[in-house]
Amino acid sequence: MRKTDGLLKLLGLCVLAGVLVAGVLFPVVGAAGVVSNRASETVDNMSAELANVPPPLVTTVTDSAGAPIATLYKQYRLPAAPEQISLAMKWALVSVEDKRFYEHHGVDWKGTMRAAISNGTGGDTQGASTLTQQYVKNYLINVVCRPKSDEKEDQAEARLCREKAQEQSIARKLKEARIAIQLETKMTKDQVLAGYLNVVEFSRQVFGIGAAAKTYFNTTPDKLNVSQSALLAGLVNNPNTNDPWNHPLAAKKRRDTVLDRMVDNKKLAPEDAVKAKNEPLGVVPELQKPPANCTGAGPENGFFCQYVEDYLLKNGMTKDDLYTGGYTIKTTMDERANHEAKASAETQVNKTQPNVANTLSLVKPGQDRHEVVALAANRDYGGDKDKGQTTYALPSGIWNVSGAGSSYKIFTAAAAMQNHVLGIYSTMETPSFHISGVFTGGGQHCPTVTRGTRAYCLSNASDSYGSQMSLQQALATSPNTGFVILEEKTGMGPIVDMASKLGMRDTMASSISGGKGDPNSNDPSKMTQTKYFGPTPNGPGQGSFTLGVSPTSGLELANVAATILSHGKWCPPTPIGSVTDRDGKPKQVKESACEQVVEPALADTLAVGMSKDDQPGGTSAKAAGAAGWNRPIIGKTGTTQVSGSATFVGGTPGLAGAAMVFRPDSPNGGIYDGGPGNISAAKGTNGNMFGGGTPARTWFGAMKNILGDQPIEQLPGSSPQYERVGR
């Protein structure tokens, strides 16, 4: 009975071996019928994927001068060409993993038969995989089968793919071997070897020999010596077990084994092996791998990097492509301007001050582009909350704060001018108290219009305004009543539309609660700000819009100033200078086209109308004087109710910006202004912060240093048609 069993097993092994050999030879001799057509197509597709799917590479983000500031990646991989890898590294790997590498054509026949016999007799499917076959498996695992997103379905699909690529079966070995043979008809031995060394993992999410040389020894692949090469070659078999930091003894033992194999393979003299064995492991004290995201840009530049990522994802690039494409993204960030913006923001508000964010966003006006040059905050960018760090997009995001305050009066003024309600020198009413005959929704101190409805009513911040003044003076001194009266005369439709036109695109598309708005919703907390504040068939809109009571993006507010100073030309606030792919070829970024949103005469006259804020009597005059400011600017401050947030938006012909101070962690309540370095979230409800305080000091402090001794540029002149009009 035992003899019969032995004969049957031997016969089975022969049949199994024959099938395996025939299958391996199929791509070469076309042994049709050995496997199904579907299996053949699957193998062909997998082979094509190996040739067509590029491995994930590191994307580098630079400043405007080309200096790297951050790296974005899912797999830390620095590719190396065959000639950029030392001979010691090549021979170390060949000696320990596939000593007949330069003799076979992708498959080691003896090893393959041994694996088949072992599996047929009940043993494990044994390796005997050549480096080419290992290249195939690692490419499938690390490239083809990697998840392309964080979605559960994608993660599950990738996991199944990796399991299939690693399953211990003859079918898997058959596919792997067939692809290996195909690859060696397309690639030279050195290309296969370099391909393997570029795709394999060397533990701790370090992929490829370039990244391994950098992270383990702070060197490049061409400079790896015998001892270093042996250590790295020993890692690929079991990266975690042989990790030199966690398991130095195991790593040394494995390194020495590789050295012995190099001697056996006659690629290293015995005495040189002994010398190498006596050397320490030589790895750097800590893994030299940069952060994989914008935290690598550091506390100062991280906010700009974050906006670059957000901007590219918004404009059509996927996160997987961004983090694996190996792009070089040259940004528009001016390193010096960004530093000065950060320094000024932090001078005003300490970086660890609880629940107070102070931001500054700077944009360069232009007819063809509005380049973002700085995005800064008092807080550091990073993940250590104990140090006051955050990864929220403070200078560019839309914040659910009290709002931008009276900075929104810019839109009321612009719409009133466009509709010829008045000009910058026209007289407007500014009573100390106003009860609207148009808007409703006032508080208990306002008179009742109908049962359950009160008129909208409001007063000025002080009684010193007088009963009337010019629009130019009103923009400088900011009486609330006058601008609500302008809303009544102009209508809310043109005003909220003007806000979007001049630059508040995402802000106006968001909801009043700070999230993404739904233009079809009738729920006030979900509808877009345009719909909420604008007129409806049942009402004239919300008169509080001009007081800036809703969530706002500081960057978009800066771009409003850039649009005005660009003679009414709106362009998206872009952080992108150029993008090149892994081959150095330019990649087009989909960006919105610039638009002439208001005629130049209107924009230029509005600039003149906004030119007195820093002058005596203006709301930012004190901050301008303290900074020694001597340039013409446009400017507008904003302060919300209970001083919960405040802004200053302004600009010169060459640079525009907006500073914004707010409570990011708990928005309800005020902010206390005790002078530079003494800013805090008020313990009570009310604060004493104003736009002419921290925001204006931040803006003037940074702009003074950034512009330095550059020539003083004058504002454009006004146009008579928008100077004195009225009805």
Side-chain angles (χ1 to χ4, degrees):
M1 189 69 177
R2 290 181 180 177
K3 290 183 179 180
T4 303
D5 289 345
L7 288 172
L8 289 173
K9 184 174 289 187
L10 180 60
L11 179 60
L13 291 174
C14 290
V15 172
L16 181 63
V19 170
L20 180 62
V21 171
V24 169
L25 288 174
F26 180 83
V28 180
V29 299
V34 176
V35 291
S36 69
N37 289 334
R38 179 179 296 179
S40 177
E41 289 174 3
T42 300
V43 173
D44 288 342
N45 289 339
M46 292 170 68
S47 179
E49 285 181 310
L50 287 176
N52 297 329
V53 181
L57 295 184
V58 174
T59 289
T60 301
V61 182
T62 80
D63 64 15
S64 60
I69 60 173
T71 50
L72 312 177
Y73 61 88
K74 289 186 175 180
Q75 296 180 1
Y76 186 51
R77 176 180 285 105
L78 306 175
E83 63 273 13
Q84 295 174 320
I85 303 172
S86 72
L87 282 175
M89 184 66 239
K90 293 177 181 178
W91 284 119
L93 183 68
V94 168
S95 297
V96 74
E97 292 294 329
D98 185 4
K99 67 179 182 180
R100 290 189 290 273
F101 174 69
Y102 287 100
E103 300 170 13
H104 61 65
H105 298 288
V107 176
D108 183 344
W109 301 110
K110 293 181 180 179
T112 301
M113 297 302 296
R114 184 172 65 249
I117 293 171
S118 174
N119 188 62
T121 56
D124 293 333
T125 303
Q126 305 207 344
S129 292
T130 65
L131 278 173
T132 314
Q133 289 172 275
Q134 292 182 47
Y135 175 39
V136 171
K137 182 174 75 173
N138 279 280
Y139 211 100
L140 289 171
I141 294 169
N142 296 330
V143 180
V144 177
C145 295
R146 66 177 184 82
K148 306 301 189 297
S149 74
D150 295 329
E151 297 294 329
K152 289 184 178 180
E153 294 81 1
D154 193 37
Q155 294 283 335
E157 183 179 345
R159 184 169 59 253
L160 290 173
C161 182
R162 291 193 299 270
E163 290 173 358
K164 191 71 175 176
Q166 299 177 85
E167 68 179 4
Q168 297 298 309
S169 68
I170 290 298
R172 196 269 294 175
K173 283 285 186 181
L174 177 60
K175 293 176 183 179
E176 186 181 275
R178 293 175 65 185
I179 298 172
I181 290 176
Q182 287 180 331
L183 285 179
E184 290 220 2
T185 64
K186 301 175 182 179
M187 302 170 67
T188 67
K189 286 289 186 179
D190 265 6
Q191 288 173 332
V192 171
L193 186 57
Y196 173 87
L197 282 169
N198 277 322
V199 78
V200 72
E201 184 181 359
F202 286 89
S203 88
R204 302 195 183 209
Q205 294 294 298
V206 174
F207 293 84
I209 192 61
K214 175 67 176 177
T215 55
Y216 282 78
F217 302 108
N218 196 26
T219 189
T220 52
D222 60 312
K223 296 179 181 177
L224 289 169
N225 61 32
V226 170
S227 177
Q228 294 168 336
S229 298
L231 186 142
L232 294 178
L235 274 176
V236 299
N237 178 265
N238 196 327
N240 294 328
T241 300
N242 298 315
D243 185 303
W245 288 285
N246 291 336
H247 308 289
L249 294 179
K252 183 181 185 308
K253 182 178 179 181
R254 179 64 178 167
R255 179 198 68 176
D256 293 351
T257 297
V258 176
L259 292 169
D260 289 336
R261 297 286 177 84
M262 293 178 73
V263 172
D264 294 341
N265 205 26
K266 296 182 172 47
K267 300 304 176 185
L268 184 66
E271 58 272 20
D272 291 333
V274 172
K275 182 179 178 182
K277 287 179 180 180
N278 290 328
E279 293 180 9
L281 294 179
V283 294
V284 295
E286 295 182 3
L287 190 73
Q288 297 293 305
K289 186 172 70 169
N293 49 42
C294 282
T295 58
E300 190 165 287
N301 298 331
F303 293 110
F304 201 102
C305 177
Q306 185 63 58
Y307 180 60
V308 170
E309 179 175 334
D310 293 342
Y311 188 83
L312 289 172
L313 296 183
K314 175 186 173 183
N315 286 281
M317 186 177 285
T318 66
K319 188 166 185 178
D320 185 70
D321 188 23
L322 178 60
Y323 273 69
T324 64
Y327 297 106
T328 297
I329 302 171
K330 187 176 182 180
T331 75
T332 56
M333 189 191 84
D334 183 313
E335 193 279 331
R336 178 174 167 272
N338 203 62
H339 172 75
E340 293 293 348
K342 165 69 170 172
S344 188
E346 198 174 315
T347 295
Q348 296 299 322
V349 183
N350 188 283
K351 69 175 67 177
T352 58
Q353 182 64 47
N355 197 27
V356 181
N358 187 32
T359 68
L360 181 58
S361 309
L362 299 177
V363 180
K364 186 182 296 183
Q367 288 292 299
D368 301 316
R369 286 169 64 81
H370 288 179
E371 295 184 348
V372 183
V373 298
L375 291 171
N378 64 310
R379 291 191 178 186
D380 287 346
Y381 188 89
D384 193 336
K385 292 184 179 180
D386 293 337
K387 294 181 179 179
Q389 295 180 351
T390 181
T391 55
Y392 290 117
L394 295 178
S396 58
I398 300 172
W399 285 91
N400 185 22
V401 296
S402 301
S406 295
S407 293
Y408 273 42
K409 291 171 182 173
I410 296 171
F411 311 126
T412 304
M417 292 168 63
Q418 187 175 61
N419 285 269
H420 301 289
V421 175
L422 83 175
I424 59 170
Y425 301 133
S426 300
T427 300
M428 58 187 284
E429 304 169 61
T430 57
S432 60
F433 186 77
H434 177 66
I435 300 173
S436 177
V438 175
F439 303 117
T440 58
Q444 292 183 354
H445 62 287
C446 298
T448 300
V449 178
T450 61
R451 186 173 182 178
T453 303
R454 293 180 181 272
Y456 182 65
C457 64
L458 74 164
S459 60
N460 292 324
S462 72
D463 296 327
S464 62
Y465 289 105
S467 61
Q468 60 183 26
M469 63 181 68
S470 70
L471 176 57
Q472 185 183 59
Q473 186 181 359
L475 284 167
T477 57
S478 206
N480 293 333
T481 59
F483 284 94
V484 171
I485 292 171
L486 273 189
E487 286 183 316
E488 295 170 357
K489 294 180 177 180
T490 307
M492 290 305 302
I495 294 172
V496 296
D497 185 51
M498 182 63 72
S500 293
K501 283 182 176 180
L502 290 180
M504 309 301 285
R505 305 288 172 103
D506 290 341
T507 293
M508 294 306 296
S510 70
S511 71
I512 61 167
S513 61
K516 186 175 181 180
D518 180 359
N520 299 313
S521 176
N522 291 317
D523 181 346
S525 67
K526 295 179 181 179
M527 63 177 63
T528 64
Q529 294 193 49
T530 298
K531 183 176 181 180
Y532 177 81
F533 287 106
T536 68
N538 300 318
Q542 305 292 326
S544 60
F545 178 75
T546 197
L547 305 182
V549 296
S550 57
T552 295
S553 163
L555 174 58
E556 286 199 319
L557 199 58
N559 201 37
V560 167
T563 300
I564 296 170
L565 290 165
S566 299
H567 311 291
K569 193 73 167 287
W570 175 88
C571 298
T574 180
I576 306 300
S578 65
V579 179
T580 52
D581 64 18
R582 64 179 65 206
D583 299 317
K585 297 178 181 178
K587 176 181 174 63
Q588 286 296 116
V589 177
K590 297 178 181 178
E591 298 184 88
S592 299
C594 296
E595 304 170 24
Q596 188 71 47
V597 292
V598 295
E599 61 177 321
L602 172 59
D604 294 349
T605 307
L606 178 60
V608 175
M610 294 174 62
S611 66
K612 301 300 183 182
D613 197 88
D614 64 322
Q615 301 300 306
T619 55
S620 65
K622 184 176 179 180
W629 189 257
N630 63 345
R631 296 171 181 270
I633 65 163
I634 66 169
K636 185 73 193 76
T637 59
T639 306
T640 58
Q641 196 170 19
V642 309
S643 295
S645 59
T647 58
F648 179 75
V649 56
T652 68
L655 190 60
M660 192 161 126
V661 61
F662 55 95
R663 297 166 55 119
D665 303 319
S666 58
N668 296 326
I671 298 176
Y672 172 76
D673 182 1
N678 187 20
I679 312 298
S680 61
K683 294 181 180 180
T685 301
N686 296 318
N688 67 341
M689 177 62 68
F690 288 94
T694 296
R697 294 195 299 262
T698 300
W699 191 95
F700 284 109
M703 292 285 280
K704 177 73 173 178
N705 290 336
I706 292 169
L707 296 177
D709 58 359
Q710 293 181 25
I712 294 177
E713 296 183 71
Q714 300 299 318
L715 295 175
S718 59
S719 174
Q721 61 179 315
Y722 294 112
E723 290 179 343
R724 289 180 174 85
V725 296
R727 68 183 185 198

